[in-house]
Amino acid sequence: MPRRNPLALGLLGLAACLLAAPALGCGPGRGPVGRRRLGRRQLSPLLYKQFVPNVPEQTLGASGKAEGKVLRGSERFRELVPNYNPDIIFKDEENTGADRLMTERCKERVNSLAIAVMNMWPGVKLRVTEGWDEDGHHLPDSLHYEGRALDITTSDRDRHKYGMLARLAVEAGFDWVYYESKAHVHVSVKADNSLAVRTGGCFPGHATVTLRSGERRGLADLRQGDWVLGAEPGGRLVPTEVLLFLDRDLGQRASFVAIETASPARRLLLTPSHLVFAARGAANGTAAFLPVFARRVRPGDAVLAHGAGGQGLRPARVLRVSREDGVGVFAPLTSHGTLLVNGVLASCYAVLESHRWAHRAFAPLRLFHGLLSLLPARAEAGNGTAPEAGMHWYSRLLYRLAGGVLGHEALQA
């Protein structure tokens, strides 16, 4: 048996003690984002004036605090998306299309609810009577002003169905459901940039990384111990080791931001609150590039792309930014905290809009893997190890600690 270095074993033991958190390190895992499985159990209607969960709407246990009115033409207005689902009837009494505008999370939930309504009552559709409000018809802190709240009925306006409609809304994944009135049910969701929404994956499964050999490999086939291209703080491309996956789920559906560039032509998909290095307007060097949430990137901005013919990083102007649904979420963590995905430089981190602080937060994990590499008895077959599915326990632990120390609202942009 090989003789182990006592210092390495001591440091390894210390790191293991610091990192061990059995109570927080394991969890039940996640199902499809924001959706509860509709099982065969008997569903019970909500009672009049009942709300689920049984806490006020604007608390962390429900939809969270209001973030302020979204005004037409503002930066935040551009994050609202129209819903043209033919299975939903929008009242739109203002004839402005405002009731169709909502956040991505709200759109996803209401589309799920529309299917449940048709399954429950054939021939009946979901009806939205109030959506985004730009005319001041609600209380000052209403989530209607942010596209996060809806008032709903059934298309036949049968009030005897509204209790069950409220229950279906709970099952569809709305963050707060209130059987508010005999005339409608009120539903709302968390902000798209809230902590509870942003703890998911980062890149779709069909995205590719560049190995240090220059070969392209899909994220679904990437393994712990592989070496890929990333970048140092100065912007120089370097080989960097894949330490682990912060999140990995082949079947998870998610909404991605699609960033398309020209010269070189690249197309990067990543979740809205994942960090990518971008600069406002034209940029000549790498110094002007800062880590920002993907949802903040706009056409005309620049990102850092890998030049053709083995060249280094170069600015690439963003032509289009859109939203796209995909299957599979993958978040590899490298030793440098960066990697090339589809030829564009991205951070390994999300949620906190600071690459530097996020990289520091994962320093204990990198230390732990560094100490493991000091052990002579470590099997060389470690390269190519298939990662486990789901979110890594250390990521969950950091989110909990950050939310407890800073407050969950402090992590929102």
Side-chain angles (χ1 to χ4, degrees):
M1 179 178 179
R3 184 177 180 180
R4 290 180 169 82
N5 187 324
L7 176 60
L9 286 175
L11 290 174
L12 178 60
L14 176 61
C17 292
L18 289 173
L19 292 174
L24 296 176
C26 300
R30 302 178 305 157
V33 59
R35 290 191 184 133
R36 296 172 184 165
R37 293 186 179 274
L38 297 177
R40 296 180 179 272
R41 61 188 176 81
Q42 186 71 29
L43 297 177
S44 57
L46 264 65
L47 302 176
Y48 180 55
K49 292 297 181 181
Q50 182 182 359
F51 44 87
V52 177
N54 190 27
V55 295
E57 180 179 27
Q58 295 190 25
T59 59
L60 291 176
S63 294
K65 293 182 180 180
E67 299 182 343
K69 293 184 178 181
V70 175
L71 303 178
R72 189 180 289 272
S74 67
E75 182 77 10
R76 290 174 63 203
F77 177 76
R78 299 173 68 178
E79 297 178 6
L80 299 182
V81 293
N83 192 332
Y84 296 110
N85 190 336
D87 297 325
I88 303 175
I89 297 172
F90 291 89
K91 186 177 180 182
D92 194 22
E93 55 190 355
E94 300 88 357
N95 284 323
T96 61
D99 287 340
R100 293 183 181 272
L101 295 175
M102 57 193 70
T103 63
E104 284 281 353
R105 184 174 179 84
C106 190
K107 180 179 179 179
E108 183 178 293
R109 302 305 183 271
V110 75
N111 286 346
S112 296
L113 177 58
I115 297 172
V117 167
M118 291 189 298
N119 288 337
M120 178 64 69
W121 302 293
V124 176
K125 291 186 177 183
L126 178 65
R127 177 171 174 261
V128 174
T129 60
E130 288 285 341
W132 175 61
D133 181 7
E134 60 179 333
D135 298 321
H137 293 158
H138 295 83
L139 294 176
D141 61 347
S142 170
L143 299 184
H144 281 285
Y145 296 121
E146 303 176 28
R148 294 167 52 193
L150 303 171
D151 292 340
I152 58 175
T153 72
T154 55
S155 60
D156 59 2
R157 306 186 197 183
D158 182 355
R159 298 187 178 187
H160 295 94
K161 292 186 173 78
Y162 292 175
M164 182 58 73
L165 176 64
R167 173 58 63 187
L168 293 178
V170 173
E171 297 297 318
F174 279 97
D175 297 303
W176 199 69
V177 178
Y178 181 25
Y179 190 177
E180 180 179 32
S181 162
K182 291 290 186 180
H184 69 262
V185 174
H186 176 84
V187 296
S188 62
V189 296
K190 298 179 185 291
D192 280 354
N193 63 346
S194 69
L195 177 69
V197 176
R198 290 189 278 143
T199 54
C202 298
F203 307 101
H206 57 73
T208 61
V209 294
T210 305
L211 303 183
R212 61 178 171 182
S213 63
E215 174 192 350
R216 294 289 185 89
R217 178 169 296 177
L219 281 176
D221 299 319
L222 193 65
R223 296 291 182 264
Q224 177 181 336
D226 287 342
W227 285 77
V228 300
L229 289 184
E232 292 180 326
R236 185 173 68 91
L237 286 176
V238 292
T240 182
E241 184 182 5
V242 176
L243 303 179
L244 50 85
F245 278 78
L246 301 176
D247 198 357
R248 189 177 188 274
D249 191 333
L250 280 73
Q252 175 71 41
R253 293 194 63 86
S255 176
F256 298 95
V257 175
I259 301 173
E260 299 181 55
T261 69
S263 187
R266 300 285 185 264
R267 192 169 191 271
L268 172 67
L269 271 69
L270 65 175
T271 45
S273 51
H274 191 70
L275 294 178
V276 62
F277 298 94
R280 293 296 182 199
N284 295 322
T286 59
F289 287 81
L290 299 174
V292 298
F293 289 143
R295 59 187 171 83
R296 299 196 192 280
V297 177
R298 297 289 181 262
D301 293 347
V303 294
L304 289 170
H306 190 200
Q311 300 175 3
L313 294 173
R314 51 178 291 188
R317 189 172 71 87
V318 176
L319 287 180
R320 284 178 294 274
V321 179
S322 58
R323 294 289 183 119
E324 183 175 311
D325 292 336
V327 179
V329 290
F330 298 83
L333 174 66
T334 67
S335 55
H336 285 78
T338 59
L339 74 166
L340 283 177
V341 180
N342 288 358
V344 178
L345 183 66
S347 169
C348 292
Y349 309 115
V351 180
L352 184 66
E353 200 168 19
S354 172
H355 174 84
R356 177 181 298 178
W357 282 105
H359 196 56
R360 289 174 178 174
F362 282 90
L365 210 54
R366 294 195 304 276
L367 172 64
F368 181 76
H369 282 268
L371 293 175
L372 281 178
S373 67
L374 297 177
L375 297 178
R378 185 189 182 197
E380 293 300 324
N383 286 6
T385 302
E388 296 181 1
M391 184 176 288
H392 194 274
W393 68 264
Y394 190 77
S395 298
R396 292 186 183 275
L397 176 59
L398 282 183
Y399 294 143
R400 291 190 186 186
L401 291 177
V405 175
L406 302 176
H408 288 73
E409 306 305 325
L411 296 177
Q412 298 182 14

